[in-house]
Amino acid sequence: MKNRLLNICILYMFFPLLLQAADTHSIYNLRCEQEENPLGIETGQPCFSWQIQTQQRNFEQSAWQILVADSPEKLQAGNGNIWDSGKTLSSASILVPFKGKELKAGQTYYWKVRSWDKEDSPSRWSCTHTFGMGLLSEKDWSNAKWIALEKDRKDEIITTGLHGLANVDRELKGKKIGMYRLPQFRKEFTVQKPVKRATAYVSGLGHFDMFLNGEKVGNNFLDPGWTKYDKCALYVTFDLSGQLKQGGNVIGVMLGNGFFNIPRERYFKLLASYGAPRLLMKIQIEYADGSTQTIVTGTDWKTTESPVTYSSIYGGEDYDATKEQAGWMQPGFDDRTWNKALDTGWKTRLLSQRSTPLTVRDRIPTVRLFKTRQGQWVYDLGQNFSGIIRLSLHSKDTHPVKLYPAELLNPDSTVNQSASGAPFWFGYTPKGKGFESWQPQFTYYGFRYVQVEGAVPAGQPNPDELPEIMEITGLHTCNSAENVGSFHCSKPLFNQTYELIDWAIRSNMASVLTDCPHREKLGWLEEAHLMQYSVQYRYNLARLYEKTFNDMRSTQAANGMIPTIAPELVEFEGGFKDTPEWGSTFVISPWYIYQWYGDTRPIETYYPDMQRYIDYLSSKADNHIISYGLGDWFDIGPKSPGESQLTSNGVTATAIYYYDVTLMEKMA
């Protein structure tokens, strides 16, 4: 008996080694279109990638086989009814293109892969992964309508932003624009059968928060990414499969203005308005019995003004908790006083948001609390970052609270917004019934300090019985691009330098690569190629640059010129409109994507547009010399920094032009 137990123990100890001997390698980290189990794929030929785990030295993959099916049961049975590649002799494991049957809009597909080593020994099949197709044409939206709370004011539509007070006053003559009410929408529906799959396709402009039965769907921030809205808008895809319940369900949506509608109030870098905030949505429910149910936005949805009473991407956000309607996101709520949603009749090109979304990356606690000479309380979060605040307070009444974020302090310790856009503030009106918490939904700022007006910190003298702040926490919001590298060494100075740069990168990595997270928030293009190579060591940028390329194409001029910013939400003048060192991102960045990720598709897709840009630069050349634009921007010279002072534009502009054409030669 003892010998039998000993043999069993020995077998148990060596069983993993026996498995390793039988399996020379295994497949892991499956990706489709650079993402694990993606949704909203719009290409008819998605590309697959995988990695190999092995104990062998000098391992080489000699072949692979991919199966794609339209159900997990078929895939489990080895039936690749959508694509069975067969054993394909190839060492490729990165961006292997799909070559099966036509993929259908809104359909979920299941795939797996196996490979062979150089001795022709196969691996086991990988785990099953999925990818979901987006909505590929207008008809796939099933007649969904763009709905709104109120009609557009046609005389206020400004699709090319105005900047500078002189321009604004000349065009608007003192008139305010963009002062629309912020809407919330609800739609109640019933689920009466077991759900197999449910998918939502949503675009809320400028930005939206979506809720299902009172719970926020996803953890994204400022969806969708900003675009040139008359050229295209983005929609976001969510899997709702595990969130629907039998019986009554309610979809709730709140909208903020974003860049879609910038009100002329408080601070604004530019003024633009495409009309009232609006919503487009389709929900596709597939039941276990094979039937389907489709829910789309239309005039049968109900809408009313939300507690968000002010929303500006540049000026801040106000929230009045006394306007909350308890239970509005739950079944059975009495919405008879709400309005029927308006059909705006609006149309624009729709694209799936394939770039990684913004999320809350870090929570930053207050490290110091002090009082200014004038008596205001200031919270020091100890770190400059992009984002918003999380406010927790106790209030006995509805006294409004204002919070002014800033990067700097004045000599008297009050906050200083002079370099970051002023005035900007977060405003909160409490319900006045005890403990409450709130965070903004549709704006963000770059800051370290928060100055309070209308409240006092808990535990401090409070003779006026103002709301008492229990806590202010910073929420660092940025693009959720995957971390792929890090740096650390034995020298603290280098580590601190690295951290400083990383905070700056993250704080400017939104749905576009911005120049600053407060004053402008615009996608100045020279950053997109100058910083690209170094940032790729830290973050996976493949999906973010998909959006960057489309932003450039959507703003390319008829003569081939690429503006200095993309999307071109505002037209600047002179070198701020057109500079070779900026527009050349359209040529340089696709090449860098190819070098880094092995993806040739941006080159294939945009090559004709790149040619148009090269032809434009050639038309500006004099005997192959180009000499215009901003040049070596912000070099240190005898005058205040700005346009190049010490280096001729003919040097940098011609150098970048030469670099462009050498890259075009390689790409060709």
Side-chain angles (χ1 to χ4, degrees):
M1 184 66 179
K2 289 183 178 179
N3 288 339
R4 186 182 302 171
L5 288 173
L6 179 62
N7 289 336
I8 291 173
C9 290
I10 292 173
L11 181 62
Y12 181 78
M13 291 170 59
F14 285 96
F15 187 66
L17 297 178
L18 294 174
L19 285 178
Q20 287 182 11
D23 295 327
T24 62
H25 63 287
S26 59
I27 307 294
Y28 75 104
N29 196 23
L30 275 67
R31 300 292 176 105
C32 175
E33 288 297 296
Q34 310 272 20
E35 185 183 1
E36 186 176 4
N37 301 324
L39 297 171
I41 297 297
E42 290 189 328
T43 175
Q45 195 176 49
C47 290
F48 304 106
S49 305
W50 59 89
Q51 289 182 271
I52 296 171
Q53 174 69 41
T54 182
Q55 297 293 323
Q56 291 186 24
R57 292 179 179 272
N58 302 316
F59 177 89
E60 292 181 23
Q61 174 185 280
S62 63
W64 50 261
Q65 182 181 10
I66 296 174
L67 296 182
V68 179
D70 57 12
S71 77
E73 294 79 15
K74 290 175 184 174
L75 192 70
Q76 182 67 28
N79 177 10
N81 68 314
I82 302 301
W83 186 37
D84 183 346
S85 69
K87 183 179 180 181
T88 303
L89 300 179
S90 170
S91 62
S93 60
I94 297 174
L95 298 174
V96 174
F98 169 84
K99 295 182 179 179
K101 296 179 181 178
E102 182 179 1
L103 300 172
K104 298 179 180 179
Q107 176 70 49
T108 297
Y109 295 96
Y110 305 82
W111 71 285
K112 61 183 179 180
V113 60
R114 64 174 173 171
S115 71
W116 285 259
D117 65 13
K118 58 187 176 183
E119 276 73 44
D120 207 31
S121 297
S123 70
R124 296 184 181 187
W125 284 104
S126 69
C127 296
T128 297
H129 278 56
T130 64
F131 63 94
M133 297 300 291
L135 303 182
L136 308 179
S137 67
E138 184 177 346
K139 68 179 178 59
D140 296 326
W141 283 91
S142 304
N143 206 31
K145 307 295 185 184
W146 284 100
I147 58 174
L149 171 62
E150 53 189 318
K151 294 181 179 180
D152 296 340
R153 294 189 276 273
K154 301 295 186 182
D155 60 336
E156 294 183 11
I157 300 296
I158 302 173
T159 57
T160 299
L162 302 173
H163 71 98
L165 290 177
N167 291 334
V168 169
D169 289 338
R170 181 174 62 252
E171 294 291 331
L172 300 181
K173 298 178 174 59
K175 183 174 77 171
K176 285 191 174 185
I177 70 163
M179 306 305 291
Y180 295 101
R181 293 174 292 160
L182 282 305
Q184 58 189 31
F185 301 89
R186 73 184 305 271
K187 174 65 176 176
E188 194 163 340
F189 61 97
T190 303
V191 171
Q192 295 179 329
K193 295 181 286 188
V195 173
K196 177 183 177 183
R197 183 185 305 109
T199 309
Y201 308 90
V202 192
S203 184
L205 304 178
H207 301 300
F208 72 87
D209 270 345
M210 175 184 176
F211 305 88
L212 176 58
N213 300 322
E215 298 293 325
K216 188 176 187 300
V217 176
N219 64 347
N220 300 3
F221 179 67
L222 293 187
D223 269 344
W226 44 96
T227 56
K228 188 75 168 65
Y229 298 104
D230 53 342
K231 298 292 183 65
C232 67
L234 304 180
Y235 68 90
V236 186
T237 308
F238 297 103
D239 184 354
L240 305 180
S241 302
Q243 300 176 52
L244 293 177
K245 62 183 183 181
Q246 293 297 304
N249 291 263
V250 174
I251 291 293
V253 179
M254 299 176 69
L255 297 185
N257 280 317
F259 279 101
F260 187 79
N261 178 60
I262 303 170
R264 186 180 184 179
E265 192 170 285
R266 303 186 197 175
Y267 170 70
F268 53 88
K269 170 65 181 180
L270 62 100
L271 282 177
S273 179
Y274 293 81
R278 62 204 59 198
L279 171 67
L280 181 76
M281 183 186 300
K282 175 183 176 180
I283 298 175
Q284 185 75 34
I285 304 173
E286 302 173 48
Y287 291 107
D289 64 3
S291 61
T292 62
Q293 180 181 358
T294 301
I295 300 160
V296 298
T297 45
T299 55
D300 57 330
W301 285 54
K302 301 300 284 290
T303 181
T304 192
E305 187 174 1
S306 86
V308 180
T309 57
Y310 176 83
S311 166
S312 171
I313 195 67
Y314 285 123
E317 183 169 315
D318 293 345
Y319 187 92
D320 187 346
T322 67
K323 294 187 175 183
E324 291 179 352
Q325 299 187 41
W328 75 274
M329 289 187 280
Q330 300 295 335
F333 174 79
D334 184 359
D335 60 10
R336 286 176 295 178
T337 61
W338 289 35
N339 303 313
K340 285 187 175 181
L342 299 176
D343 178 359
T344 66
W346 192 68
K347 291 184 181 297
T348 194
R349 181 181 176 219
L350 284 162
L351 295 173
S352 176
Q353 179 171 286
R354 293 290 307 126
S355 59
T356 42
L358 278 68
T359 59
V360 174
R361 179 185 173 104
D362 299 295
R363 295 179 177 271
I364 303 171
T366 298
V367 298
R368 184 169 64 111
L369 174 64
F370 60 89
K371 202 171 188 180
T372 69
R373 298 171 189 170
Q374 287 80 15
Q376 301 101 329
W377 288 100
V378 176
Y379 288 74
D380 180 2
L381 303 177
Q383 171 65 54
N384 196 19
F385 64 97
S386 61
I388 54 177
I389 55 97
R390 177 73 175 175
L391 171 67
S392 298
L393 56 72
H394 182 277
S395 181
K396 298 178 182 178
D397 58 28
T398 60
H399 193 285
V401 179
K402 287 185 178 180
L403 304 114
Y404 294 86
E407 292 183 323
L408 304 173
L409 295 177
N410 292 309
D412 63 359
S413 297
T414 56
V415 296
N416 182 341
Q417 294 182 342
S418 61
S420 53
F424 179 105
W425 72 79
F426 305 121
Y428 180 71
T429 301
K431 291 188 286 286
K433 297 180 180 179
F435 291 99
E436 305 176 36
S437 59
W438 169 75
Q439 66 192 56
Q441 297 168 261
F442 304 119
T443 191
Y444 76 108
Y445 204 66
F447 64 101
R448 168 181 169 175
Y449 305 98
V450 180
Q451 182 173 303
V452 176
E453 180 182 301
V456 299
Q460 298 296 329
N462 188 12
D464 297 324
E465 295 189 332
L466 297 173
E468 294 186 341
I469 295 177
M470 315 306 293
E471 186 177 24
I472 289 180
T473 301
L475 303 181
H476 173 37
T477 62
C478 65
N479 192 285
S480 58
E482 176 188 12
N483 290 357
V484 293
S486 60
F487 171 83
H488 185 79
C489 71
S490 60
K491 192 170 182 64
L493 177 62
F494 291 168
N495 294 330
Q496 292 166 0
T497 303
Y498 169 81
E499 291 294 333
L500 180 70
I501 295 170
D502 191 45
W503 274 102
I505 289 169
R506 291 204 309 266
S507 292
N508 285 290
M509 198 160 63
S511 69
V512 300
L513 295 168
T514 66
D515 63 321
C516 61
H518 34 55
R519 187 177 63 87
E520 289 194 345
K521 300 184 174 95
L522 298 176
W524 290 95
L525 286 175
E526 94 288 6
E527 297 160 9
H529 73 83
L530 287 177
M531 293 297 296
Q532 182 178 351
Y533 228 76
S534 57
V535 176
Q536 285 173 151
Y537 280 103
R538 177 74 167 115
Y539 300 103
N540 185 337
L541 301 181
R543 291 169 57 197
L544 177 59
Y545 271 81
E546 287 185 37
K547 180 179 183 298
T548 302
F549 298 146
N550 181 68
D551 286 340
M552 287 188 283
R553 170 187 264 182
S554 69
T555 54
Q556 187 172 23
N559 62 3
M561 185 269 293
I562 298 292
T564 55
I565 59 171
E568 194 180 23
L569 300 169
V570 58
E571 285 192 22
F572 293 116
E573 295 84 25
F576 295 104
K577 167 74 174 177
D578 173 19
T579 287
E581 297 89 337
W582 275 243
S584 292
T585 298
F586 204 28
V587 175
I588 298 169
S589 285
W591 176 251
Y592 286 176
I593 288 292
Y594 162 67
Q595 287 188 307
W596 205 265
Y597 304 108
D599 194 350
T600 60
R601 291 174 298 174
I603 295 172
E604 296 165 5
T605 301
Y606 298 107
Y607 193 82
D609 303 300
M610 297 183 212
Q611 287 180 306
R612 292 175 55 220
Y613 182 60
I614 293 297
D615 288 343
Y616 171 75
L617 290 181
S618 298
S619 73
K620 304 283 283 186
D622 181 6
N623 195 27
H624 307 296
I625 300 297
I626 295 179
S627 183
Y628 76 94
L630 301 177
D632 187 16
W633 176 253
F634 247 67
D635 64 348
I636 305 301
K639 301 177 183 178
S640 297
E643 295 189 33
S644 179
Q645 301 178 49
L646 304 181
T647 304
S648 163
N649 286 4
V651 174
T652 54
T654 304
I656 207 83
Y657 173 47
Y658 174 77
Y659 188 44
D660 288 347
V661 295
T662 60
L663 292 186
M664 291 291 286
E665 179 186 21
K666 293 177 181 179
M667 287 186 275

PDB file of all heavy atoms in Angstrom, residues 169-180:
ATOM      1  N   ASP A 169     -16.236  88.091 -31.795  1.00  0.00           N
ATOM      2  CA  ASP A 169     -17.099  89.276 -31.738  1.00  0.00           C
ATOM      3  C   ASP A 169     -17.540  89.719 -33.126  1.00  0.00           C
ATOM      4  O   ASP A 169     -18.675  90.161 -33.318  1.00  0.00           O
ATOM      5  CB  ASP A 169     -16.366  90.416 -31.028  1.00  0.00           C
ATOM      6  CG  ASP A 169     -16.212  90.163 -29.529  1.00  0.00           C
ATOM      7  OD1 ASP A 169     -16.993  89.362 -28.986  1.00  0.00           O
ATOM      8  OD2 ASP A 169     -15.301  90.749 -28.918  1.00  0.00           O
ATOM      9  N   ARG A 170     -16.634  89.582 -34.097  1.00  0.00           N
ATOM     10  CA  ARG A 170     -16.985  89.990 -35.457  1.00  0.00           C
ATOM     11  C   ARG A 170     -18.078  89.088 -36.027  1.00  0.00           C
ATOM     12  O   ARG A 170     -19.020  89.559 -36.671  1.00  0.00           O
ATOM     13  CB  ARG A 170     -15.750  89.944 -36.360  1.00  0.00           C
ATOM     14  CG  ARG A 170     -16.037  90.395 -37.802  1.00  0.00           C
ATOM     15  CD  ARG A 170     -14.771  90.475 -38.631  1.00  0.00           C
ATOM     16  NE  ARG A 170     -14.116  89.181 -38.768  1.00  0.00           N
ATOM     17  CZ  ARG A 170     -12.980  88.852 -38.155  1.00  0.00           C
ATOM     18  NH1 ARG A 170     -12.373  89.722 -37.365  1.00  0.00           N
ATOM     19  NH2 ARG A 170     -12.434  87.674 -38.334  1.00  0.00           N
ATOM     20  N   GLU A 171     -17.988  87.782 -35.762  1.00  0.00           N
ATOM     21  CA  GLU A 171     -18.948  86.842 -36.326  1.00  0.00           C
ATOM     22  C   GLU A 171     -20.254  86.795 -35.532  1.00  0.00           C
ATOM     23  O   GLU A 171     -21.339  86.681 -36.109  1.00  0.00           O
ATOM     24  CB  GLU A 171     -18.325  85.434 -36.378  1.00  0.00           C
ATOM     25  CG  GLU A 171     -17.155  85.300 -37.332  1.00  0.00           C
ATOM     26  CD  GLU A 171     -17.568  85.405 -38.787  1.00  0.00           C
ATOM     27  OE1 GLU A 171     -18.719  85.039 -39.099  1.00  0.00           O
ATOM     28  OE2 GLU A 171     -16.764  85.864 -39.608  1.00  0.00           O
ATOM     29  N   LEU A 172     -20.150  86.873 -34.216  1.00  0.00           N
ATOM     30  CA  LEU A 172     -21.333  86.657 -33.377  1.00  0.00           C
ATOM     31  C   LEU A 172     -21.939  87.942 -32.833  1.00  0.00           C
ATOM     32  O   LEU A 172     -23.067  87.924 -32.331  1.00  0.00           O
ATOM     33  CB  LEU A 172     -20.976  85.727 -32.212  1.00  0.00           C
ATOM     34  CG  LEU A 172     -20.478  84.336 -32.598  1.00  0.00           C
ATOM     35  CD1 LEU A 172     -20.187  83.521 -31.359  1.00  0.00           C
ATOM     36  CD2 LEU A 172     -21.496  83.617 -33.468  1.00  0.00           C
ATOM     37  N   LYS A 173     -21.158  89.036 -32.874  1.00  0.00           N
ATOM     38  CA  LYS A 173     -21.665  90.338 -32.412  1.00  0.00           C
ATOM     39  C   LYS A 173     -22.280  90.260 -31.011  1.00  0.00           C
ATOM     40  O   LYS A 173     -23.373  90.771 -30.754  1.00  0.00           O
ATOM     41  CB  LYS A 173     -22.682  90.881 -33.420  1.00  0.00           C
ATOM     42  CG  LYS A 173     -22.090  91.130 -34.803  1.00  0.00           C
ATOM     43  CD  LYS A 173     -23.146  91.616 -35.771  1.00  0.00           C
ATOM     44  CE  LYS A 173     -22.519  91.997 -37.106  1.00  0.00           C
ATOM     45  NZ  LYS A 173     -21.794  90.899 -37.759  1.00  0.00           N
ATOM     46  N   GLY A 174     -21.567  89.575 -30.137  1.00  0.00           N
ATOM     47  CA  GLY A 174     -21.977  89.501 -28.739  1.00  0.00           C
ATOM     48  C   GLY A 174     -22.997  88.427 -28.414  1.00  0.00           C
ATOM     49  O   GLY A 174     -23.312  88.207 -27.240  1.00  0.00           O
ATOM     50  N   LYS A 175     -23.523  87.739 -29.428  1.00  0.00           N
ATOM     51  CA  LYS A 175     -24.556  86.737 -29.180  1.00  0.00           C
ATOM     52  C   LYS A 175     -23.946  85.473 -28.582  1.00  0.00           C
ATOM     53  O   LYS A 175     -22.894  85.003 -29.016  1.00  0.00           O
ATOM     54  CB  LYS A 175     -25.274  86.386 -30.488  1.00  0.00           C
ATOM     55  CG  LYS A 175     -26.431  85.398 -30.300  1.00  0.00           C
ATOM     56  CD  LYS A 175     -27.204  85.183 -31.574  1.00  0.00           C
ATOM     57  CE  LYS A 175     -26.485  84.276 -32.531  1.00  0.00           C
ATOM     58  NZ  LYS A 175     -27.308  83.877 -33.678  1.00  0.00           N
ATOM     59  N   LYS A 176     -24.618  84.932 -27.578  1.00  0.00           N
ATOM     60  CA  LYS A 176     -24.194  83.652 -27.026  1.00  0.00           C
ATOM     61  C   LYS A 176     -24.662  82.529 -27.946  1.00  0.00           C
ATOM     62  O   LYS A 176     -25.723  82.612 -28.569  1.00  0.00           O
ATOM     63  CB  LYS A 176     -24.776  83.442 -25.625  1.00  0.00           C
ATOM     64  CG  LYS A 176     -24.086  84.263 -24.541  1.00  0.00           C
ATOM     65  CD  LYS A 176     -24.524  83.808 -23.157  1.00  0.00           C
ATOM     66  CE  LYS A 176     -23.720  84.533 -22.090  1.00  0.00           C
ATOM     67  NZ  LYS A 176     -24.037  84.036 -20.726  1.00  0.00           N
ATOM     68  N   ILE A 177     -23.866  81.475 -28.026  1.00  0.00           N
ATOM     69  CA  ILE A 177     -24.280  80.297 -28.778  1.00  0.00           C
ATOM     70  C   ILE A 177     -24.097  79.075 -27.893  1.00  0.00           C
ATOM     71  O   ILE A 177     -23.429  79.113 -26.853  1.00  0.00           O
ATOM     72  CB  ILE A 177     -23.471  80.120 -30.083  1.00  0.00           C
ATOM     73  CG1 ILE A 177     -22.024  79.715 -29.761  1.00  0.00           C
ATOM     74  CG2 ILE A 177     -23.522  81.354 -30.941  1.00  0.00           C
ATOM     75  CD1 ILE A 177     -21.288  79.133 -30.946  1.00  0.00           C
ATOM     76  N   GLY A 178     -24.702  77.989 -28.313  1.00  0.00           N
ATOM     77  CA  GLY A 178     -24.465  76.711 -27.656  1.00  0.00           C
ATOM     78  C   GLY A 178     -25.137  76.534 -26.313  1.00  0.00           C
ATOM     79  O   GLY A 178     -24.788  75.606 -25.577  1.00  0.00           O
ATOM     80  N   MET A 179     -26.099  77.370 -25.971  1.00  0.00           N
ATOM     81  CA  MET A 179     -26.710  77.299 -24.643  1.00  0.00           C
ATOM     82  C   MET A 179     -27.908  76.344 -24.646  1.00  0.00           C
ATOM     83  O   MET A 179     -29.031  76.686 -24.274  1.00  0.00           O
ATOM     84  CB  MET A 179     -27.108  78.697 -24.170  1.00  0.00           C
ATOM     85  CG  MET A 179     -25.976  79.720 -24.209  1.00  0.00           C
ATOM     86  SD  MET A 179     -24.507  79.222 -23.288  1.00  0.00           S
ATOM     87  CE  MET A 179     -25.134  79.307 -21.623  1.00  0.00           C
ATOM     88  N   TYR A 180     -27.663  75.129 -25.091  1.00  0.00           N
ATOM     89  CA  TYR A 180     -28.703  74.111 -25.089  1.00  0.00           C
ATOM     90  C   TYR A 180     -28.801  73.447 -23.718  1.00  0.00           C
ATOM     91  O   TYR A 180     -27.829  73.347 -22.975  1.00  0.00           O
ATOM     92  CB  TYR A 180     -28.398  73.028 -26.130  1.00  0.00           C
ATOM     93  CG  TYR A 180     -28.430  73.500 -27.559  1.00  0.00           C
ATOM     94  CD1 TYR A 180     -27.246  73.775 -28.241  1.00  0.00           C
ATOM     95  CD2 TYR A 180     -29.633  73.645 -28.245  1.00  0.00           C
ATOM     96  CE1 TYR A 180     -27.263  74.193 -29.562  1.00  0.00           C
ATOM     97  CE2 TYR A 180     -29.654  74.064 -29.568  1.00  0.00           C
ATOM     98  CZ  TYR A 180     -28.473  74.335 -30.226  1.00  0.00           C
ATOM     99  OH  TYR A 180     -28.498  74.751 -31.529  1.00  0.00           O
TER     100      TYR A 180
END
